[in-house]
Each structure stands twice: as C-alpha cells, then as structure tokens.
Amino acid sequence: MERQIRAMQAQLNTMKKEHNEEVKRARAVLAHQREDAENNPYGQRNSYIGSHPQSNAPLITVRKGTGGPDIGRPASDRADITSWSDFQRATAQDEEVTVGGVKIGFPKGRPTIQSSDGAYALSIGLAFHEDFGGFFNSGPRKGEARGAFNSFTSNMRRLRIPFMFRYKNWVAAVTPDFGANHNDGYVGLYEGNLNYTGFRNTILTAGYFQPRVTEEDSESSNDFFTLERPSITDMVRNIAAGDARFSVGGLHYEKRWWVAGYFTGQEWGHRNGSDNGSTYYGGGSSSTVDSQTGAVLRIAGRPIATKDVDLHVGVSTMSAFKLACNTGTDANHCSRSTSFGQRPEFDIGEANLAATGGITNAAQVWAAGPELGLRWKRLVVKGEYYHVGVERDGPGLKTAGFQGWYGSAAYTLFGDPRMYNYKEGAFGAPGVKANEEFNPALNQWGALEVVGHYSVIDLNSGLNEANAKNVIRGGQQTVWTGGLNWYPNRHFRFMLDYSHFIVSRSMQTTNLYGRTGNSIAARIQAGF
C-alpha cells in the first residue's frame, strides 16, 4: 500500500511539473502576442481579412437569432435608446453576420454595425409616412374664406432617418426629418441629443428631444391608432414639449410603473426668423431676446398586468413657466404671447378651423390631466382629458382656460394584438410573426385591426366676460374617426381613415359661422 501511495505521489509531482511548463509556455505565447500587437497594430486586422494563409478562421460567419418579445412589432420612429446590456440582449435575439470581426445585424429590425463586443455601434433607421387623401362636403359658408381644404392632395408627413451612435452606455442620437412641418418641401431636425443608460432601466437625456408626456405622445407614431394624435394631446404637448425641444432630464421604467421629467427650453429653429414656418408648429422669430423655459412630468402605472388584461393609469402635467419674449417696435421692451389652434386631425397642410388667435400678456401656460387605458385580449380602449390654463399679467386680465378629451378603441381582427409596452408606458402596435407575414399562397395575411376615435377640444374662454380682452372665441371642435390598419409584416403598414368634424364658430376667417366636413385619408408607412 505504501509503495502504491509513493508511486501516486511521484506521478502527481510529474503532472505538476508538466502543468507548470504548460503555463510558462502559454504565458510566453501571450507575451509574444502582446509584443506583436504593440509593434504591428494592424496584424490582427490582417488575420481577420485573410492576409495570413495559415489562418483557418472563417471570414464570414452567420448566427441565427433566438427571437424575443419585440420580434414582429414595428420599429420606433425615433432613435431606440437602450442600455448596453439591453442592446446586447436585443442583438442576441436577431440574426447576425460577422465579417472580419465586425458584426452586422438587425436588432429590433434596425440595421446595425457593431464591434465584436458591442461596445461600438452605429444604427440607422427609417420612419416613412406618406399621406394622401382629401376633404369633401367641407366647403365654406357665404362670407368665409375657403381655407386649404384640398379635395385631393398628398403630404410627406414624416421622413425621419434616425442615426444612433453608441459607445457602451453612452448613446448619441441624431434624426433629421425630411418631412418636417405640415407641407412637402420642409427639412428639419427631429432630435439631436446625448443619452446615458448606465443606470438600471433609466435613460438620461440632454439636447433636442421629444420629451415623453401624455400616453399618445409616449407612443411611437408608427403605433398610432389613427393617422394623427387626438387634438388635445397634440395641443398640450407643444406647450413645453413636442418635437425637437431642448430638454434635460430622464425617464425610469419598471414593469408596473413609469416616470419621466424634463426641464425644457425652445424648439429647434425657434429663433430663426428666415421662415416663420421653419419650426414644426411655426413661430420662428429673429426678434426673440429671451427664450422660453418650462418643464414636463409624466407618471404612469399598470396596476393590473395579466395575460389577457392590462390596466393603465397615469397623469401628465406640463408648464411653460416663462414664455419667449419677442421685441416689437420698441427694442427696449418685449411682449410674451401664446396661441392655440388645431387642424381637424388630418394633416396635409389644411387650415385651422378652431384657433384662439394671439393671446397677449401671457405670463405662464400650463396643462394637466389624467390618462386611462385598458387592454382586454384583442381589444384596447383608452382616453385622456386635459385642462389648459393661460396666466395673464395686466390690468383686468383673467386666466384663460381651455380643455379637451378623447376616447379611442382598437380591435385586432387577426395577427398578434396590441400589447402594453412598459418601457414607454403606453400601448404598442399589433405584431406579425415571421410565419404569419403576408403571403396569399400560404393563406397568410399579416395583421389587421379596426379602430375608432372620438375627440373634442374647447378653445372658448370667458365668452360672458364684460372685458372684451378676456373673451377668447376659439371654437369647439369635435372629430369622429373610424379606420382600418393593415400590417403585412413588421416593417410596413397601410392605414385608411374616415373622419367627420364639427366646429363651432371661431374668429378664424375660415370659420365665422361654424363649419362641418368630412375627410378620407390614407397612409403608407415603412419603419426600420
């Protein structure tokens, strides 16, 4: 027995010596490789591209994705800012091609080039919305201006190309928009910002941005029920948020709650007076001597979250607590004013029927209201209400008040139904699995949903006031909309909306006596 033990000990000592020799040789090889890399920094690249015949590594490799919850749903219309770990997870879920150490893939359907470890990445996206259609039975009454209510026309509503540059958890987003404003031919900036995503489920942002406020505004436009947002949410978001607004702040999300807050400034191009319509909603002025400042806050929760039911509740508030100050004929004094107006929810460059006109001596503008939404299996219903206040400073001037609300419903006839997107605190679009993409030969038809929508804004304030300066007759606008949305696959959508609108009289030359009308509108959409 002792002889056997001694023999085993001798064998172990021999194995230890051999192991130590192997470690020494491996360390020597690594040291030599480091020295070669320092002396010849392009050597590793050359080995990738096959300049060394002895290399047996394949130049191109293809890895199949694992799939994920976002597979089959439309891409966002903006830069998709995620943490580095989430970005790597999304990459793992999609097919990926490695060419000489550089990875090329389509996480969430967006073309992306990245380094082998994903630390460096460049993504390029697309949001293409072409609208066409027109109005009928919408003519003016005697004495009114006709307004730009085309019987048929078209408009490049959005043509955004999101560029996203990543280094680990630092992301720069730049998105030009060749469909900015309400008419063809305008080029603008949708976003240009810097983001940090190193904290859990948190995105910190600084730069020109679309601050997330209201449920509708938190959705991507690729996910809208109808062609346009309800009038009230489109109106209130532009008080201190909206597209291309200078913003500093952040958002945080969990599966059951969501919160975002931003300090905001002016819109991109707001101090450029070369074209008064150069900003998204007009108002460019070279006479601005003190830009607007404001803030927005949104809090949302999902108290019920099951396979068949999602209940959404939330509140949004926003304030322009210092409006832009523009000089007039007296260069030593300036005025602060605001205005509100909305088209009848079909945006092809038509005129406003409901509009307040200029509200002078406006010291502060604010809005607040609740959000409510419910998904039950294939049905989604939601609505929001907002009250708007305009604080005025001047003898005898009172606060002006406006309001609006909407209710919408969508039912998915076939395809994957709409689901709750807890990263946005909002409902997303229907989805189309790869084996359900449009292919008549295989009896596959994508996804189809039917939608309905009721929207009201009341831009009248102080109609019974004795002081005429407190009387604002902007009109009350009601819009009924019904439509169909067809998704042949995750990247394309075809929309068809019919709308009927009723607007009480306002001070607009296009609506002196009250006006009604109808529109039929269609959209072709592509998103990557």
Side-chain angles (χ1 to χ4, degrees):
M1 180 66 70
E2 292 180 359
R3 286 197 300 270
Q4 291 177 344
I5 292 174
R6 285 196 294 270
M8 292 175 65
Q9 289 176 337
Q11 187 175 7
L12 286 172
N13 290 334
T14 302
M15 292 173 65
K16 287 181 180 179
K17 290 180 182 179
E18 292 176 351
H19 175 71
N20 291 336
E21 291 297 324
E22 289 291 338
V23 170
K24 289 180 181 178
R25 284 194 292 269
R27 287 176 175 172
V29 171
L30 290 174
H32 181 67
Q33 289 177 347
R34 281 197 299 269
E35 184 178 359
D36 283 347
E38 292 172 356
N39 295 331
N40 182 15
Y42 297 102
Q44 190 176 21
R45 183 203 66 177
N46 292 337
S47 68
Y48 283 147
I49 63 177
S51 61
H52 298 291
Q54 67 270 23
S55 174
N56 294 320
L59 177 63
I60 300 176
T61 60
V62 179
R63 178 186 59 76
K64 295 293 184 180
T66 61
D70 292 317
I71 297 300
R73 302 196 181 274
S76 176
D77 66 343
R78 48 209 178 203
D80 189 11
I81 308 299
T82 60
S83 68
W84 187 25
S85 58
D86 284 346
F87 171 72
Q88 291 174 312
R89 191 176 301 111
T91 300
Q93 293 170 353
D94 286 82
E95 183 175 297
E96 183 181 88
V97 178
T98 300
V99 181
V102 176
K103 296 180 180 180
I104 302 173
F106 297 84
K108 297 185 179 180
R110 183 155 288 178
T112 301
I113 302 172
Q114 59 177 305
S115 58
S116 58
D117 61 356
Y120 290 93
L122 166 64
S123 296
I124 302 176
L126 173 68
F128 169 91
H129 296 174
E130 174 73 23
D131 294 352
F132 54 93
F135 294 86
F136 61 96
N137 297 332
S138 306
R141 298 187 182 186
K142 185 177 181 180
E144 290 179 335
R146 183 183 189 280
F149 291 89
N150 292 270
S151 58
F152 179 83
T153 191
S154 61
N155 182 38
M156 179 56 70
R157 184 65 178 88
R158 295 176 183 88
L159 181 51
R160 297 173 183 165
I161 305 178
F163 292 88
M164 188 183 72
F165 304 85
R166 172 184 295 277
Y167 175 67
K168 296 184 178 178
N169 281 312
W170 293 90
V171 182
V174 179
T175 303
D177 189 350
F178 298 89
N181 209 285
H182 303 281
N183 299 289
D184 281 331
Y186 281 93
V187 178
L189 179 72
Y190 174 66
E191 62 181 347
N193 50 68
L194 178 65
N195 304 268
Y196 180 72
T197 64
F199 301 113
R200 180 180 180 275
N201 294 350
T202 301
I203 303 173
L204 303 178
T205 302
Y208 287 113
F209 181 65
Q210 181 195 336
R212 311 300 189 241
V213 66
T214 81
E215 194 278 340
E216 278 280 335
D217 198 38
S218 297
E219 292 181 7
S220 162
S221 62
N222 287 341
D223 297 341
F224 285 175
F225 283 25
T226 55
L227 270 71
E228 299 298 331
R229 297 178 183 88
S231 295
I232 186 60
T233 56
D234 196 48
M235 188 175 89
V236 301
R237 78 188 191 105
N238 287 290
I239 291 173
D243 302 338
R245 176 78 69 175
F246 177 78
S247 308
V248 178
L251 64 84
H252 180 83
Y253 60 85
E254 299 291 344
K255 290 188 176 180
R256 291 299 188 99
W257 59 276
W258 189 101
V259 61
Y262 300 90
F263 167 82
T264 65
Q266 66 181 21
E267 290 179 295
W268 177 84
H270 191 80
R271 290 185 292 113
N272 183 356
S274 61
D275 186 341
N276 190 51
S278 61
T279 63
Y280 272 82
Y281 289 87
S285 173
S286 59
S287 64
T288 300
V289 295
D290 192 10
S291 295
Q292 174 179 307
T293 55
V296 301
L297 174 67
R298 178 176 184 247
I299 301 173
R302 188 166 57 140
I304 300 176
T306 68
K307 178 182 177 182
D308 293 331
V309 178
D310 282 305
L311 176 64
H312 165 90
V313 294
V315 61
S316 289
T317 181
M318 60 235 58
S319 175
F321 40 76
K322 186 190 72 175
L323 293 174
C325 185
N326 300 319
T327 58
T329 56
D330 185 351
N332 296 319
H333 297 84
C334 60
S335 62
R336 302 180 192 271
S337 64
T338 190
S339 64
F340 297 101
Q342 285 291 305
R343 295 165 172 82
E345 299 184 8
F346 177 24
D347 203 343
I348 54 172
E350 70 283 4
N352 289 334
L353 296 176
T356 63
I359 304 174
T360 59
N361 298 90
Q364 184 183 30
V365 182
W366 58 270
E371 313 168 6
L372 182 64
L374 175 68
R375 179 190 68 86
W376 179 64
K377 296 184 178 179
R378 292 180 167 270
L379 174 67
V380 174
V381 293
K382 63 179 183 178
E384 298 179 79
Y385 167 86
Y386 290 97
H387 181 81
V388 180
V390 180
E391 309 291 339
R392 305 177 73 187
D393 54 2
L397 294 179
K398 295 183 178 180
T399 298
F402 312 104
Q403 62 181 339
W405 58 91
Y406 76 90
S408 298
Y411 185 82
T412 306
L413 299 174
F414 52 81
D416 284 358
R418 288 180 176 267
M419 300 295 288
Y420 192 78
N421 184 342
Y422 67 86
K423 293 183 179 181
E424 293 183 347
F427 292 95
V432 181
K433 295 185 179 70
N435 60 357
E436 296 176 350
E437 293 180 354
F438 176 66
N439 188 339
L442 298 178
N443 195 30
Q444 296 171 189
W445 304 97
L448 180 68
E449 67 174 345
V450 58
V451 298
H453 171 78
Y454 172 73
S455 168
V456 177
I457 54 168
D458 185 354
L459 299 185
N460 294 322
S461 178
L463 296 185
N464 297 320
E465 286 287 330
N467 184 351
K469 293 183 178 179
N470 290 321
V471 177
I472 300 173
R473 187 180 293 278
Q476 178 173 301
Q477 176 175 284
T478 302
V479 180
W480 297 84
T481 300
L484 292 171
N485 300 325
W486 177 50
Y487 306 76
N489 52 57
R490 69 175 300 184
H491 294 293
F492 298 92
R493 175 166 71 162
F494 298 87
M495 306 177 71
L496 179 65
D497 285 359
Y498 164 77
S499 293
H500 176 69
F501 59 87
I502 306 167
V503 190
S504 67
R505 70 187 182 93
S506 66
M507 300 303 292
Q508 299 299 300
T509 59
T510 55
N511 183 27
L512 298 175
Y513 310 110
R515 195 160 169 178
T516 63
N518 305 274
S519 67
I520 294 180
R523 171 175 294 171
I524 51 177
Q525 171 182 307
F528 288 85

